[in-house]
Amino acid sequence: MSKKSRRLGTDLVGGDKAFERRPYPPGQHGRGRIKESEYLLQLREKQKARFSYGILEKQFSRYYAEAHRRAGKTGDNLLQLLECRLDNVIYRSGIARTRRQARQLVVHGHFQVNGQKVNVPSYQVSAHDVIDVRTKSRESTPFVIARETHGERPVPGWLEVLPGSLRVLVHQLPVRSQIDIPVQEQLIVEYYSKV
């Protein structure tokens, strides 16, 4: 992930020491000049979003197709779909330190959505959903740490976290102003309109 961060010029992990030390692209010719084409900029934005959320290419293109089908701005719809993934909601709530850890916790079946066990990271959370940590899992190490370190990272306004019971309340779906990812979604739309 550090190499990907350096290649794209953005810290994808958050607090990446390797990226801070060497903010230029990796490899022998990392400090050389690259011809900045329009296509390169569009591809970079798409890759930033894809790597940030940890999604494969085929799945990302399906998200784009769904966003394009919905009413409203395609770019905003795309970011909303990505933000509403269950693994991302767990990361945003502060229960997991990284999206990769959130994904692993979801796959291992530690969460219930509205009382039903869910182990699919791409599960789409909707407004007024209640996400709980399963009773058996509450005393395992990641959740004990999550309770102790709650409040270190800001929780977005569309979520509410009850740290004592490790419960996440989804008040509404996020709007673009509440999504703080450094991506220009218009360039992603332009990229897919050409493909």
Side-chain angles (χ1 to χ4, degrees):
M1 283 303 283
S2 293
K3 275 190 175 181
K4 289 174 183 173
S5 296
R6 288 174 62 198
R7 167 62 52 210
L8 297 169
T10 308
D11 187 1
L12 300 172
V13 180
D16 188 359
K17 298 283 187 268
F19 176 75
E20 289 170 15
R21 267 198 317 273
R22 297 183 285 187
Y24 50 87
Q28 183 177 359
H29 305 290
R31 294 187 188 196
R33 289 185 303 163
I34 301 172
K35 188 181 175 188
E36 297 276 323
S37 69
E38 188 181 336
Y39 177 78
L40 175 70
L41 296 173
Q42 293 165 356
L43 179 66
R44 262 196 201 146
E45 288 303 310
K46 193 259 300 179
Q47 297 293 64
K48 265 188 221 174
R50 200 167 75 76
F51 292 141
S52 294
Y53 289 101
I55 298 173
L56 297 175
E57 183 60 48
K58 195 172 182 181
Q59 195 175 15
F60 194 84
S61 62
R62 279 202 299 262
Y63 276 123
Y64 177 79
E66 172 63 23
H68 187 67
R69 194 182 61 75
R70 292 184 177 188
K73 285 186 174 177
T74 305
D76 293 354
N77 291 343
L78 177 64
L79 289 179
Q80 187 181 69
L81 283 169
L82 294 171
E83 278 291 307
C84 289
R85 285 171 54 94
L86 180 60
D87 58 353
N88 183 69
V89 171
I90 299 303
Y91 166 71
R92 290 280 189 215
S93 65
I95 292 174
R97 294 192 169 205
T98 63
R99 282 191 180 90
R100 286 183 166 195
Q101 184 189 19
R103 184 183 182 89
Q104 186 181 40
L105 292 173
V106 172
V107 168
H108 287 188
H110 292 298
F111 294 98
Q112 292 179 325
V113 179
N114 300 329
Q116 297 291 315
K117 179 183 167 186
V118 178
N119 61 359
V120 180
S122 61
Y123 177 87
Q124 283 290 309
V125 174
S126 50
H128 311 299
D129 276 358
V130 178
I131 302 164
D132 288 307
V133 176
R134 292 178 64 209
T135 314
K136 289 180 181 178
S137 308
R138 285 186 184 165
E139 296 310 314
S140 59
T141 311
F143 300 112
V144 172
I145 292 169
R147 270 198 295 270
E148 290 171 359
T149 61
H150 178 72
E152 287 181 6
R153 208 170 62 229
V155 178
W158 56 283
L159 294 175
E160 183 185 344
V161 182
L162 308 174
S165 58
L166 288 174
R167 174 174 276 192
V168 181
L169 307 173
V170 182
H171 290 305
Q172 65 184 43
L173 296 179
V175 293
R176 179 61 185 110
S177 57
Q178 294 173 316
I179 300 170
D180 64 339
I181 188 160
V183 170
Q184 296 174 16
E185 64 276 8
Q186 187 53 40
L187 292 176
I188 300 173
V189 174
E190 288 172 14
Y191 172 83
Y192 276 110
S193 65
K194 290 177 181 176
V195 176

